[in-house]
Each structure stands twice: as C-alpha cells, then as structure tokens.
Amino acid sequence: MTATENAGTPPTDDAPVPDPNAVQITVNGVAHTARKGQLVIEAAADAGVYIPRFCYHERMTPVGKCRMCLVEADSGRGPAVTVSCMVPVMPDMKVETESPMAKRMQEGVLELLLANHPLDCPVCDKGGECPLQDQTMTHGPGESRFVEEKRHYEKPIPISDLVFLDRERCILCDRCTRFADEVAGDALIHFISRGNTTQVMTFPDEPFASYFSGNTVQICPVGALTAKPYRFKARPWDLEEIESTCTTCAVGCRTVVQSSRDELLRSQGVDSDPVNWGWMCDKGRFGFEAVRTERVTEPLVRTAHGLEPTGWNAALRSAVQLIEDGKLAAGPSAVAVIGGARGSNEDAFAWARLAHDVIDTPHVYAQMGDGLPVGMLAMPRATIDDTAAASTIVLLGPDLKEELPVLYLRVRDAVQKRRVRIVEFTPRESGLTSLAWKSAVYEPGGQVEAVRAALADPEIADQLAAGPVVVIAGRSNLAESSGATVQAVQTLLAGVPGATVLPAFRRGNVVGALQVGMRPRPGGLDTRGILQAAADGKIECLVLVGADPLADFPDTDLARRALAGARRIVSVDTHLSASAQHADVVLPAAAFGEKSGTTTNLEGRVTTLGRKVTAAGTSRPDWMIATAIARGLGTDLGFRSVDDVTDAIARMVDGYEGVTRDALADSADGVLSAPPATIAAIDPVEVEVPVRNSYDYRLVVTRKLYDAGVTVSNSPSLAHLAPGQRVHLHPLDVERVGVQPGADVRVSSSRSAAVMRVEADPTVLRGTAWIAFNQPGGNVGDLIDSTAIVTDVRIENL
Amino acid sequence: MARLNDDNVRLAHEIISRYPRRRSATIPLLHLAQEQDGYLTDDAIRHVAELVGATSAEVLGTATFYEMFKFEPVGTYLINICGTMSCALMGAGELMRHAEQTLGIPVGGTTPDGMFTLEHAECQAACTEAPCLQVNYRHRFRVTPADLDRLVEDLRAGRLGAEIPPHGTLARVRQSIPVESAAGAVTPEQAGAPAWFPAKDPA
Ligand code: SF4
Ligand code: SF4
Ligand code: FES
Ligand code: FES
C-alpha cells in the first residue's frame, strides 16, 4: 500500500489508540518504548541496558551526585553529556551508553572517584560485593594517572552503636545521608565541610542513633559504612543465603538470610514492593544474633534438682503425660494453650490442630493480652499499599516507629511524597505526630470522645469524606483494656462508611497464628481469661508455645499467679524465658533461620521462611513437636514434612485456599490470605471510663523498639540499646510532684508500688504518666491491672 | 557563651518570622551566634538547630560549608592574605612570611592576646591591586611589609575602630529588610516596623 492510498483510509475502529504515556526512544540503537517522565537510567534498565551508578537508588530521590551514570543522549539538538539518573526521557531521544564518548566519561569519573579511594579491598567488608569494585572492573580505565598522596582519615570511627564509618572509603554519594533524612527522618548524619575535606559526619556527641541505621550499611556503594555485628565476620563469597521473611514484628519485611559455616551472620533487606521496599529496622536486621545466643539446646524436665536435661523421647513422654493428666483431672477444658505467634503458619496450624482436635480444649490463644481482640481481623481489611494510597490514614494504635518500624517508613513516605493526611489519636506524642495533619492526644480511655470530636469537626469530616480512609488500629496503651480502642474504631467506622482497617498487630506471625486456628473456639477463653483461670487453680495443664506471659502479658502479677496456680506447665521455646523457667517440661524449639515454612504479616500477606542453618542442639520446629505430642496422645496429624502442613493449611483453612506452595513459588511478593469467615466481628462495645481522681495520673504504658524481650536481650549488639524504665511526666507535673527531673519517685497503683526515675517530658499530656514496657530491670507490669478499663497511679516524692 | 542570649533569641525569632520556612533563617542565625561568641560553639549550633527545626548535624553541615564561619576562637582582627596568582606574583609569599614574623604566629594561628588571627585566602577579586589582604573582610590594597606593620600598629592602638569593627560584627543580618519585602508567616502589616537592633557600637 502506498502512502497516498493510506492517507485516504479512515482510521478503523480497532486501530490501536496511541498510549499517551508512551515515549519512543532508542537505547544503543535499539528502539524502546519508555514511559513519560521515566528517568533515562530506568528506561535503559527496562531496555536491558545497565548504566553504572553509585548515588542513584530506586527508592530515593535522585540527586545526581556521583556522575557515574553519564551517558550520551541526543534529543534532537545533537549528542550531549547527560546525567541519566536525573534526566527524563524525551520523544525520539537517542541514548548511547557505550559510545566512545560515554565510555570516556565513565572511565574519567571512575578515575576521579578512585583518586582518593584507599583501595584497601583486602581488609574491607564490602570487597566481593562492592559496586565500586565491580564497576571499576566493568567500566573503569584499568589504570590511574594520579600519583598524589591520597586523603587520610582515622580508620573506622563509630557513628552509632551499630555502624562504623571509614571516611577514606567514602565516595560522597549521599545515599546514607539521603536515607537518614528522606526515608528514616533521622537526619543525624550529614556532609560536613566542603571540597576535598567533605565527609559524612554526625554532630559531636549526637550519634546516628536511628532505628534504621543498618540500611545505610546495606546501600553504601563502598565499604565506608560497616555494621558492628558483621564486621570482619565473613567474606561475601563465603556466604550462603536464602530468602526469608523477618518475623521480629508483623510487618514481615522480606530479607535474605546469610550464613557461613552454619552460623547466621547477616540479614539484608530485599525489595518487596508491597511491603518493605528493601528496608529493615535494626532490630529485625541484627536480631539474628539471638538465634545463636543462650538457646535451649536440649529438652529439660523438672526433677527434684530443678530443670534437668533429658532426651526427646523422655521429654515428649512427660509432655504427653502432663497433658493427659491434666485432662484426666478436670476434662479437656482444664488444658489451655497460649502462643504460636512467634513461629510459622505451619507451627501455629499444627498446634491449633493439636489443641482443638486432639486435646479438644477451647482455650487457645496466640495473643498475649497486649493486642486487640481477634475480631478486629474480621473488619474490612486494608493492605499496606492501600494504606499508602489512601487520602487519609487514621492512626488509632501503637507508635508505629516503635512497634512496626518499616510500616512507619511506608506511612512516612506516603505523607511526604504522596501528601496523604494523617489523623492521629494517641495517648502521647508518637513518631508520626510531627507528620500528622491532625493529632489528638487523649487521656487513656478518652479515645472514643476524641474520635467523636474529630468526626464532628467539619474540616476533619470533609477530609474523611473525601476519599479512601484507612484506619491503622492496634493497642496503644498496655495499661488500659482494649475496650476503649475497639469502641473508638467502631465509632470511627460507623462515621466513615467504606473505611478499611489495617490491623496493627505486633508479634511476628500473630495474624497468621490467629487465622490458621490459634484462637478460642466458642466458649473458649482469651489469654487474660486463661491466666485468670490458671490463677484461680482451674487450669490443670498450661502449654506455652513460644509464649512468655511474665515478660509479655501487661499484668505481671496475674501472669505470676497464673504460673503459680497452673498445676502443670509445658513450655516450647527457643530460649529459657522467665516463664519457661516455671515449666515442668521445656521442649527446645527451632528458631528463625532454622526452619522453613510460611508466615502471614499484618495485612494477611503470606510469604516464605527460609531455613539456612542447622537448628541449635536438638531443637525442632514447633509443628514437629505438636505432631509428636499428638502422636503420643494417640492421633496422627498426618504431617510428615513442613510441606504437608503448608498443603493442609491451603486445603483446610478458610482464606488460605490460594496460598499453595505453587502460588508462593510463583510470586516474589507472597500471596494475600483472607480472614476466615469463622472469625466473628466484634459486637459493639461500650466502655464506661471511670473518672480520674485529680491527684492521680492516668498510666500510659507502651513498647519501645528495644526492650528486655528475647530478641533484643539475646543480641549482644542490641541489648544495651534498651533505654531502661523511667516514668515520664509533663514538666509541670514533675514540679507538682515536687522533685527535680532525674530524681527517684514512688509510683503506686492499686496493685503495687515501684520506685523509678522521673523524666520531664513535654510530649506527655498533663495528668498522664508514660512508662516504657518490659525494659531491663523494669517492673511496670506489676502496676497494671488487666481487669481495669484504665490504670491510675499516684506519684510521690520519696 | 554558648547558647544564644535572650536578646539574640528575640532577634532570632524576628528573623525567622521573615522567611516562609524556618530553615531559611539558618545562615543569618549562625551569623548572630558568631557575633555573640566570636565563633560558633557546639551549643550555639544546637540552639540554632532547635530554633529553625533542623538537626544539629544539618546545621553543622551547612555551617562548615562556609569559610566565614569559624569553629574555634578567632582574634578580634582576622587578617586574610591573598595568595592566589596575581598576589603571589606581586609578593604575597613574602608578605605572609613578614606577617608571621610581625605577629609571631604561624599562618592559621591567633596571637596570645587574642588580637589577631592570620589566614591564607584565595583570590579576593582585587587582582589589579595585588598584593592585597583583608582585615575582618575589609580590603587593604598593594600592601607592602611596611604597610602591614603600620596596619597592625594602628589596629593595636585602636585607631581604626570606626572603619574596622571587631570580627563577627554583623553587617548584613542587621540590615533592615523593608517590611514590604518580608516573606514571613506574618503579613507585612502584622510585622510592623522592623525591630532591627542597631549594630553594636564597635567601641
Ligand atoms: S558513606 Fe557510603 S553511602 Fe554514605 S556518602 Fe559515603 S559512600 Fe555514600
Ligand atoms: S519492621 Fe518488623 S518485619 Fe521489618 S525488619 Fe523490622 S522487625 Fe523485621
Ligand atoms: S547515579 Fe547518576 S549521578 Fe550518581
Ligand atoms: S589574586 Fe589576590 S586578589 Fe586576586
């Protein structure tokens, strides 16, 4: 057909509509369709051409700092030197990444970058996985013309408790400093000085104490930043690795777990688009140290001399006996099982089958009395991506920075880059308060009132009516029953039809455990109920599956009475926790990195767990232990391998139909599960909050990222980061108590009294007292009465 | 010493209110701190960071970018001798050596009485008048060793007080910004007449 004939033909209906977002370019002579606004470096990558880079990072704003990505690009005005990480594609742009000119520029940049680089690769942690090494090999000139003396600095200096900086190696790419400012919001490192003496540095005496500092080590394109837990431990080529999911909290960051000689040595973040974007928090990144510290390596049974090591057969026989005796004494409902949130879906499922089908008790629960009722999972659920894409995020839960750190990063990003608005209800200033559009600080118990007031505010009402609203709901105060928060969420959802909920449940696999069955059957008790029953002498056998009520249940006194009142205790745990020390039998459980399986994060996303090292001692995965106990009790659960359990979950658990091994293998980002229909929505709650006596302070107890929990206290690099227990009062209240900040005061509740140091803290509401939970040497749990709606304390000068 | 004093805090708030973002006031506030203490102390940097809502590391990073901010005590008179091409050709090296002898300090040092600090500088944009120097950023042209001696003597005797104020005295920060050009969080009407303080009396 000739052109003239063609011109007269009317366009047919099925002619492709030109995509307004398509931009035609060529990369090294090959035609490619890029997206409008796309950076040249990205478009080239899509076309299969890798442009070398140091400062560019897909998850951060490009800054064009290193010039390594220079290419030759012609957008119609002749070839020009172009910084491909800063310049978007233009129609008909011709990009040359390998032309003589481009090569010359790349070689020149590398020669300059190396002018001051010490090239101490043999003693550098990064050697073997170093972008500077790699790109020098692929794009470098091979030889340098520089003969001058290089810059010298003191070899690594600590810039925080976890990170060391070797300024000689730094190529000033601005990745770490950009991350600190833009992603983490902790601009505690910055370029100092200029010219030849420019260096990354902290302010004197203000270390880079960010919860996210480990990410800078991962993204540093040279060995300038190294992490204390990994320094000089291995060379990259000695490492074996497997992809897994961090189960330290419920965000479920994707990670690659690396080991050498059967020892876990490092975790690195993996970029999962719907979840963590490659980031991890330092607790999740460095907490692997706990896997090799102070483990229970063999089964223990109680004898006249205390807990004594024994073999598996004997220990399993005792465990079975304890459960059978318990049933015999007062029927199956005298047995209760708490836990399952720290393991895999498989662990929880096997234990749920054992508890419900074999032991036949209704009293099973995966939460530790520090979350919201399981019925929260029945609310219309949002994913993390839904949350980031909402117009409004309502925070009615814990301080995300402290409890779900990488979710905090995602929400922070949504606010900063997408201008999502946060409406926050919190008992004290949180990590997101400074970014919140509206922040209501309420006195414990006052959240319902605060929500009603917000709904009545025309400006907030308009904002909530304007578009998608996601409520991040969780427990914001351990010294308060969950009732008021549940009522506040219900009030909010009633006022904002169409709002969805992202459950801010905290423990690693708590959503998975609850969904696959570690929850009470009708008539069953929750953890508080179980502990109360045990304290009342009604529990003949208490089984703790990776659960430590003494450390985690907010009301320590009740936990203590429960462990004393339970006639028999079986503990399955990785470490000999405070509660496990009260057990009659302790069965050693395999830990993170020692077992495979799947896990479910707070949005219901199921991802895989990788097994990289041999389990400590003779420890076994929880699911295997459950299977063995079931066999002892006369039932074959039918699980021969972890895959059998994964398959059984897909077959039997409502909401996990799609979560097959094939589906998991096919999807890098995991598969979303749905809450089982049998989880009933929570009936409307109405709490009556008692009036506060004006002499008293209403207690706020929250978690800090670093505490006295198993992960932190057994990770030598992290343990000393726990801030310790203090009571924080508004400065005017400190005055009212009549002491100087830093003095010891007596804090007494109806339960008990404790002496601790007082801190003047203007972020605390007047009339409230804030104390961090489960800190080393702390005892705030003694003050909390879990039956009360709120806990009031008196604070006195000693 | 250290944090900004009450008068300066008042002035700092005034300065901050004239910018659309608090952070934009960083440099003026650093000048204010330098005027107060003669150089930037860690405490002052921390205080400026609090005032503008940045971290101390960010303010330190900004401050260290600029030559005119000092992080150690500086003499009352800061003498910068240009050593770039034209001045070098016209005897800057000799002038520097002479200055070191006259003042009894090496380049970079401060006299024990706190009167003089001697520094090497790059081109001061007065190449036709080489060799040149600056005292507290006031030019002196075609300086011979004898001129230098006289200059030092005059400064010691306080004869140049009116012309050369002590190091750190603000010029630009204290200049009055006409109210109508203020871009602060307040409207020009609200801002009222500028409350700039007159520069300190150099005596
Ligand atoms: S320390 Fe590493 S990440 Fe930070 S600027 Fe230097 S090279 Fe870049
Ligand atoms: S945010 Fe949670 S899941 Fe992610 S690395 Fe930290 S502890 Fe692990
Ligand atoms: S990658 Fe483009 S300038 Fe660094
Ligand atoms: S070289 Fe000295 S002023 Fe230019």
Side-chain angles (χ1 to χ4, degrees):
Chain A
M1 200 185 289
T2 65
T4 23
E5 280 169 344
N6 196 10
T9 322
T12 54
D13 279 349
D14 51 355
V17 186
D19 177 352
N21 277 320
V23 178
Q24 301 303 330
I25 62 170
T26 66
V27 180
N28 295 343
V30 180
H32 174 70
T33 308
R35 273 177 295 113
K36 195 168 172 182
Q38 198 177 21
L39 295 170
V40 172
I41 197 169
E42 289 286 349
D46 287 351
V49 175
Y50 182 84
I51 299 176
R53 80 241 1 222
F54 292 115
C55 67
Y56 179 69
H57 188 286
E58 318 78 62
R59 295 294 184 187
M60 297 195 288
T61 312
V63 287
K65 197 97 172 41
C66 72
R67 317 315 268 185
M68 190 61 233
C69 65
L70 292 179
V71 296
E72 215 183 329
D74 182 350
S75 357
R77 295 203 227 153
V81 175
T82 302
V83 189
S84 66
C85 73
M86 295 290 287
V87 174
V89 289
M90 307 284 236
D92 302 321
M93 190 185 237
K94 292 185 185 57
V95 180
E96 292 296 334
T97 72
E98 286 170 359
S99 64
M101 158 93 113
K103 283 211 129 8
R104 212 172 136 227
M105 294 186 296
Q106 289 160 0
E107 287 180 359
V109 168
L110 265 166
E111 194 178 2
L112 282 164
L113 284 175
L114 292 175
N116 262 320
H117 192 81
L119 290 173
D120 53 351
C121 311
V123 291
C124 177
D125 265 1
K126 203 81 176 188
E129 57 177 13
C130 174
L132 183 60
Q133 257 184 349
D134 296 347
Q135 290 177 168
T136 299
M137 297 306 284
T138 51
H139 297 84
E143 241 170 70
S144 173
R145 289 165 291 177
F146 288 97
V147 292
E148 291 77 9
E149 179 73 14
K150 297 191 183 218
R151 220 174 29 181
H152 289 296
Y153 284 119
E154 188 185 334
K155 271 299 186 184
I157 51 171
I159 53 167
S160 77
D161 286 311
L162 294 167
V163 180
F164 285 77
L165 167 66
D166 186 328
R167 287 164 292 174
E168 288 179 351
R169 292 183 188 147
C170 173
I171 57 165
L172 305 175
C173 71
D174 195 23
R175 274 189 176 193
C176 57
T177 37
R178 220 175 338 150
F179 172 84
D181 178 25
E182 181 181 322
V183 181
D186 300 318
L188 298 169
I189 45 175
H190 203 273
F191 286 132
I192 305 288
S193 191
R194 68 164 161 177
N196 196 31
T197 54
T198 310
Q199 52 192 283
V200 172
M201 196 40 73
T202 62
F203 192 72
D205 301 327
E206 283 183 25
F208 180 38
S210 168
Y211 286 165
F212 306 98
S213 66
N215 294 297
T216 62
V217 177
Q218 182 172 341
I219 60 177
C220 179
V222 297
L225 295 172
T226 45
K228 182 166 139 203
Y230 175 74
R231 275 168 64 76
F232 304 137
K233 288 279 164 57
R235 307 311 318 239
W237 53 87
D238 292 331
L239 293 173
E240 295 174 13
E241 62 179 37
I242 190 164
E243 253 196 65
S244 190
T245 304
C246 175
T247 53
T248 311
C249 84
V251 176
C253 297
R254 280 303 272 176
T255 169
V256 43
V257 184
Q258 300 173 327
S259 73
S260 171
R261 295 186 216 163
D262 209 22
E263 190 186 353
L264 293 185
L265 289 178
R266 185 166 71 168
S267 290
Q268 299 272 67
V270 169
D271 195 323
S272 173
D273 192 56
V275 186
N276 63 317
W277 291 6
W279 312 130
M280 293 182 83
C281 71
D282 288 355
K283 181 173 172 182
R285 181 182 298 268
F286 301 124
F288 68 83
E289 288 185 338
V291 171
R292 53 179 202 229
T293 314
E294 300 280 333
R295 290 285 297 282
V296 193
T297 52
E298 43 192 344
L300 307 170
V301 284
R302 188 160 298 281
T303 69
H305 316 291
L307 286 170
E308 297 269 341
T310 183
W312 268 100
N313 286 341
L316 282 170
R317 262 200 312 277
S318 317
V320 168
Q321 196 62 53
L322 290 169
I323 294 169
E324 264 177 348
D325 288 353
K327 282 176 74 169
L328 229 54
S333 42
V335 180
V337 183
I338 304 179
R342 286 231 174 91
S344 62
N345 290 333
E346 289 70 15
D347 292 339
F349 183 69
W351 271 98
R353 297 276 59 79
L354 168 61
H356 289 303
D357 302 350
V358 183
I359 302 174
D360 195 25
T361 172
H363 310 314
V364 180
Y365 210 40
Q367 293 206 85
M368 296 304 297
D370 56 357
L372 293 183
V374 59
M376 285 301 293
L377 297 180
M379 293 185 165
R381 195 181 292 174
T383 62
I384 297 175
D385 274 349
D386 295 341
T387 309
S391 351
T392 316
I393 300 175
V394 180
L395 297 177
L396 239 172
D399 186 342
L400 299 184
K401 190 171 185 181
E402 304 291 345
E403 300 204 0
L404 299 162
V406 171
L407 179 59
Y408 160 81
L409 294 186
R410 290 289 314 270
V411 171
R412 195 174 178 280
D413 179 89
V415 174
Q416 301 250 296
K417 304 246 173 89
R418 290 205 50 260
R419 306 265 159 227
V420 173
R421 283 180 164 171
I422 292 182
V423 177
E424 179 188 52
F425 301 94
T426 178
R428 62 172 290 264
E429 196 176 297
S430 79
L432 283 165
T433 300
S434 60
L435 295 174
W437 176 61
K438 300 280 170 186
S439 184
V441 181
Y442 61 80
E443 183 172 294
Q447 51 268 64
V448 181
E449 267 325 298
V451 166
R452 287 203 186 113
L455 291 174
D457 177 317
E459 200 190 356
I460 299 180
D462 282 354
Q463 172 68 21
L464 293 175
V469 176
V470 173
V471 186
I472 301 186
R475 185 79 166 265
S476 52
N477 178 8
L478 303 179
E480 171 191 323
S481 79
S482 59
T485 303
V486 172
Q487 190 188 344
V489 175
Q490 288 173 337
T491 308
L492 194 79
L493 292 188
V496 189
T500 50
V501 176
L502 181 66
F505 283 28
R506 174 178 155 275
R507 238 167 237 106
N509 190 29
V510 66
V511 173
L514 292 169
Q515 290 191 156
V516 302
M518 288 300 283
R519 56 180 195 270
R521 277 212 308 259
L525 298 168
D526 65 3
T527 294
R528 208 193 67 71
I530 293 172
L531 294 178
Q532 189 63 58
D536 296 344
K538 293 192 202 127
I539 297 293
E540 293 290 333
C541 183
L542 178 63
V543 186
L544 302 173
V545 186
D548 182 3
L550 282 177
D552 284 328
F553 188 71
D555 180 343
T556 315
D557 182 57
L558 177 57
R560 217 178 280 124
R561 286 185 287 126
L563 293 184
R567 298 250 144 65
R568 303 164 186 83
I569 301 176
V570 175
S571 167
V572 180
D573 218 326
T574 54
H575 294 76
L576 197 59
S577 65
S579 307
Q581 289 173 21
H582 293 265
D584 299 291
V585 182
V586 180
L587 301 170
F592 177 78
E594 299 176 341
K595 58 186 177 187
S596 49
T598 60
T599 181
T600 311
N601 79 347
L602 45 72
E603 51 178 349
R605 184 177 306 280
V606 183
T607 49
T608 55
L609 293 173
R611 176 177 176 280
K612 193 65 232 106
V613 291
T614 315
T618 62
S619 60
R620 301 176 183 180
D622 296 1
W623 71 264
M624 236 183 234
I625 298 172
T627 311
I629 293 178
R631 197 175 309 120
L633 291 166
T635 307
D636 181 2
L637 291 178
F639 304 146
R640 302 285 174 270
S641 70
V642 68
D643 290 345
D644 288 349
V645 195
T646 315
D647 295 345
I649 295 173
R651 217 168 45 237
M652 296 164 69
V653 179
D654 178 21
Y656 279 72
E657 303 76 18
V659 190
T660 59
R661 279 189 288 136
D662 287 344
L664 287 166
D666 283 349
S667 159
D669 294 326
V671 182
L672 278 178
S673 65
T678 44
I679 295 183
I682 311 171
D683 290 333
V685 173
E686 191 110 14
V687 291
E688 191 73 50
V689 183
V691 186
R692 175 171 63 90
N693 173 329
S694 66
Y695 295 112
D696 288 343
Y697 295 85
R698 202 143 268 185
L699 189 59
V700 178
V701 175
T702 64
R703 289 178 187 272
K704 298 287 289 174
L705 183 66
Y706 301 124
D707 58 11
V710 168
T711 306
V712 174
S713 58
N714 287 299
S715 299
S717 307
L718 301 178
H720 62 286
L721 297 175
Q725 176 177 292
R726 308 247 192 293
V727 54
H728 294 244
L729 295 180
H730 190 278
L732 292 172
D733 285 338
V734 175
E735 237 170 69
R736 196 165 78 125
V737 175
V739 292
Q740 288 296 315
D744 278 342
V745 292
R746 184 194 323 281
V747 184
S748 32
S749 72
S750 61
R751 273 300 177 76
S752 159
V755 172
M756 61 189 84
R757 201 182 294 172
V758 67
E759 203 87 57
D761 185 342
T763 68
V764 175
L765 200 63
R766 286 210 65 183
T768 64
W770 168 55
I771 306 176
F773 189 64
N774 193 22
Q775 288 295 314
N779 50 0
V780 59
D782 288 338
L783 301 173
I784 299 173
D785 176 358
S786 57
T787 58
I789 304 279
V790 286
T791 304
D792 288 342
V793 293
R794 187 151 294 198
I795 299 179
E796 292 148 325
N797 196 341
L798 282 183
Chain B
M1 264 249 201
R3 289 170 72 86
L4 295 182
N5 62 33
D6 291 347
D7 275 351
N8 282 338
V9 169
R10 204 148 44 87
L11 180 49
H13 285 300
E14 169 86 25
I15 295 171
I16 290 169
S17 74
R18 300 205 164 231
Y19 290 95
R21 292 160 194 257
R22 281 200 286 163
R23 282 178 173 235
S24 312
T26 302
I27 301 266
L29 296 200
L30 287 170
H31 279 298
L32 202 58
Q34 179 151 291
E35 181 189 48
Q36 176 182 301
D37 298 333
Y39 69 104
L40 294 178
T41 64
D42 284 355
D43 280 343
I45 294 177
R46 216 173 270 137
H47 197 181
V48 170
E50 283 165 27
L51 288 166
V52 303
T55 64
S56 317
E58 289 174 302
V59 175
L60 179 68
T62 305
T64 50
F65 185 81
Y66 296 97
E67 287 282 334
M68 284 166 78
F69 289 125
K70 305 294 175 190
F71 301 88
E72 271 153 33
V74 182
T76 314
Y77 297 107
L78 171 68
I79 302 182
N80 295 80
I81 299 181
C82 173
T84 310
M85 189 62 77
S86 310
C87 293
L89 290 171
M90 297 299 284
E94 199 194 342
L95 187 63
M96 180 62 94
R97 273 191 301 283
H98 183 79
E100 286 181 331
Q101 261 158 23
T102 304
L103 297 170
I105 47 170
V107 57
T110 300
T111 53
D113 61 358
M115 274 299 265
F116 296 102
T117 295
L118 183 61
E119 278 186 357
H120 168 99
E122 300 298 337
C123 180
Q124 297 173 339
C127 311
T128 53
E129 312 299 326
C132 70
L133 57 75
Q134 288 182 330
V135 187
N136 291 351
Y137 309 108
R138 270 81 176 169
H139 273 115
R140 283 287 180 279
F141 302 132
R142 305 193 191 212
V143 186
T144 63
D147 291 343
L148 187 109
D149 289 348
R150 206 167 317 116
L151 175 68
V152 168
E153 240 166 63
D154 286 349
L155 288 168
R156 273 228 167 87
R159 281 193 285 271
L160 293 173
E163 190 188 339
I164 304 178
H167 177 257
T169 302
L170 294 176
R172 216 161 300 156
V173 185
R174 285 191 182 277
Q175 253 165 31
S176 152
I177 300 174
V179 168
E180 58 279 10
S181 358
V186 287
T187 64
E189 293 76 40
Q190 286 171 315
W196 305 103
F197 298 70
K200 265 194 216 144
D201 193 320

